[in-house]
Amino acid sequence: MAVILGAIADDFTGATDLCSTWVKAGLRVVQMIGLPATSDLPPDTDAVVVALKSRTIPADEAVSQSLAALEWLQALGVRQVLFKYCSTFDSTPEGNIGPVTDALLDAMGLDFTVVSPAFPANGRTIYKGNLFVGDLPLAESSMKDHPLTPMRDSSLIRLMQAQSRGRAGLVPLQTVRQGADAIRAGFDDLRKQGFRYGVPDSVEDQDMLALGRALDGMALVTGGSAVAMGLPQNLRDSGALGAAARPALPKVAGRAAVLAGSCSAATRGQIAHVAQLWPSYRVDLDRIAAGTDVATEALDWAQAQSGPILIYGSSDPEEVAENQRCYGRMQAGEMMEHALAAIARGLVDRGFARLVVAGGETSGAVISALGVDRLAIGPEVSPGVPWCGAKGMGRDLALCLKSGNFGGPDMFPHALEMLDV
């Protein structure tokens, strides 16, 4: 059967999050890393997700890469394309969500799409057009201090309009609760009024499922992974999908390590939890800037340990701000990413084959450094965070790529325990 669903994700962890959503729905999913060099896919592939590292690069580069990914997906004959971004709408007033959405709409000859980053299972909800993280409006959550995309407004209407070429309108919760037909009518009303984007309220999974049904036939969908929940059922009802597939854990032997670069509150809590259980090594940005070969030091340290280990460069908001003041906003993040990527290569070279990587930018750097070009998606560790099988540096690897904000405090040990069951 032909590939029926395609997606373009703006970072690697977001891509695996989306893949996991579709795998749970019984789809056979392939995640491609970066712009694909081949269309050689397993013959029973139902969906393909192209994982880009485009969230924080210059907007024109993000647009160019996304359009190239769209062209590749269209050549496969996909029926519906999802532009996947973070459930906290990680972006700046310049983009990249708005510019990429506009470019995709133009390339597909469309004048309207949905904007839905909601992910109720992970506490990301939309009410009256405002995005919430748990009980807090986005602009009052820890995302206000994100080192690359600080979110200082909670209104998706204002956020989208600030970085795009059109107007955004609300489909309120009372309409969403009336079901798919009412949601479609709400979109139609917005389109007739000249709106380019529709923002539906969503506070529970049932809202996302109703939204998914309403999106049947919408050629371009944008949002977080939860907006994809209802899309497979539309295709199943039409007879386009075969029998459901079951995800399998990667069967990989080797030592285990966690590499954490995210500075989110969730990741810092996970680090604090596991640092009391395993040997841990903190990568210091000042020493990297001073020219110290921190990667070699960390690898020598890792070689001397036993059992799982933790290597992290995560910092609290005050230290992040000071690092950015000293070294520049982008430069500080890039120095840490390069160090953790070099450490990842060294770990695999030394027999580590089970890696949990925390942070979207960190995951992108690590995957690129290992030379991984695709992932086989397995079962979830926690909502939006699956185990994946891969081949990198000529070795079989088990990789768990975690968005910084995802997972509970004990996620790291829980992930590794799954592989030993």
Side-chain angles (χ1 to χ4, degrees):
M1 303 183 80
V3 177
I4 53 177
L5 285 172
I8 303 163
D10 68 356
D11 84 335
F12 292 177
T13 57
T16 55
D17 173 9
L18 171 59
C19 288
S20 184
T21 297
W22 279 341
V23 164
K24 284 191 296 184
L27 272 62
R28 297 164 179 83
V29 185
V30 175
Q31 178 175 334
M32 307 298 290
I33 304 299
L35 293 173
T38 176
S39 57
D40 182 21
L41 301 171
D44 58 353
T45 301
D46 298 315
V48 177
V49 178
V50 179
L52 303 177
K53 196 171 183 288
S54 59
R55 179 171 297 170
T56 57
I57 64 177
D60 58 342
E61 295 179 24
V63 165
S64 177
Q65 291 184 21
S66 300
L67 289 176
L70 172 65
E71 184 177 355
W72 185 82
L73 290 170
Q74 289 176 322
L76 295 177
V78 299
R79 299 188 183 188
Q80 193 169 40
V81 175
L82 169 60
F83 170 38
K84 196 277 175 195
Y85 41 80
C86 189
S87 60
T88 45
F89 206 75
D90 296 19
S91 55
T92 70
E94 293 75 37
N96 290 340
I97 293 172
V100 170
T101 299
D102 284 338
L104 295 174
L105 283 169
D106 291 346
M108 299 175 74
L110 304 172
D111 62 0
F112 185 87
T113 190
V114 65
V115 173
S116 178
F119 193 163
N122 271 342
R124 278 59 164 167
T125 57
I126 304 171
Y127 183 61
K128 294 189 175 180
N130 293 295
L131 183 56
F132 288 79
V133 178
D135 294 329
L136 294 175
L138 176 65
E140 298 176 25
S141 74
S142 62
M143 283 302 299
K144 71 182 186 298
D145 298 315
H146 192 284
L148 298 179
T149 54
M151 304 307 296
R152 303 292 168 79
D153 194 347
S154 303
S155 168
L156 286 169
I157 306 292
R158 290 193 296 267
L159 287 167
M160 188 63 183
Q161 290 181 164
Q163 58 183 273
S164 65
R165 299 199 314 266
R167 291 190 297 151
L170 177 66
V171 179
L173 188 62
Q174 54 264 42
T175 299
V176 172
R177 289 290 167 84
Q178 293 174 45
D181 289 342
I183 298 170
R184 275 192 290 267
F187 288 152
D188 288 342
D189 287 343
L190 290 174
R191 183 187 285 109
K192 290 173 183 176
Q193 296 174 56
F195 289 90
R196 192 167 168 88
Y197 325 103
V199 178
D201 280 343
S202 306
V203 298
E204 296 178 357
D205 278 354
Q206 68 179 24
D207 304 324
M208 303 308 299
L209 291 172
L211 175 60
R213 300 307 295 268
L215 297 174
D216 187 17
M218 184 177 282
L220 175 67
V221 173
T222 88
S225 61
V227 77
M229 289 171 56
L231 303 184
Q233 190 59 48
N234 298 330
L235 297 161
R236 194 160 276 122
D237 290 346
S238 72
L241 281 176
R246 292 194 122 184
L249 283 165
K251 301 295 184 183
V252 178
R255 291 191 62 189
V258 172
L259 292 170
S262 168
C263 296
S264 72
T267 297
R268 297 200 315 273
Q270 291 155 354
I271 288 169
H273 175 80
V274 85
Q276 302 181 43
L277 306 175
W278 304 340
S280 61
Y281 182 98
R282 187 169 190 271
V283 178
D284 185 88
L285 193 64
D286 290 332
R287 299 186 70 235
I288 297 174
T292 304
D293 188 354
V294 172
T296 296
E297 288 186 0
L299 292 168
D300 289 343
W301 170 86
Q303 192 78 29
Q305 310 306 313
S306 60
I309 62 170
L310 165 68
I311 298 176
Y312 67 100
S314 310
S315 305
D316 61 31
E318 292 76 17
E319 187 173 355
V320 169
E322 178 61 19
N323 287 336
Q324 291 181 342
R325 186 190 67 79
C326 291
Y327 307 117
R329 183 172 70 92
M330 297 300 295
Q331 292 86 342
E334 288 171 358
M335 284 194 294
M336 184 60 69
E337 289 170 29
H338 292 160
L340 291 174
I343 291 169
R345 282 188 61 86
L347 290 175
V348 171
D349 197 44
R350 288 162 174 77
F352 286 77
R354 301 175 172 192
L355 300 180
V356 180
V357 187
E361 299 299 319
T362 305
S363 293
V366 167
I367 289 296
S368 298
L370 296 179
V372 173
D373 67 355
R374 66 183 66 190
L375 298 172
I377 310 300
E380 278 190 327
V381 177
S382 66
V385 187
W387 270 112
C388 303
K391 187 171 288 290
M393 297 176 59
R395 301 169 185 262
D396 290 330
L397 302 173
L399 301 174
C400 178
L401 309 178
K402 185 194 89 74
S403 175
N405 291 299
F406 283 9
D410 64 346
M411 204 211 89
F412 294 157
H414 172 61
L416 296 181
E417 287 166 3
M418 285 180 63
L419 297 183
D420 292 327
V421 172

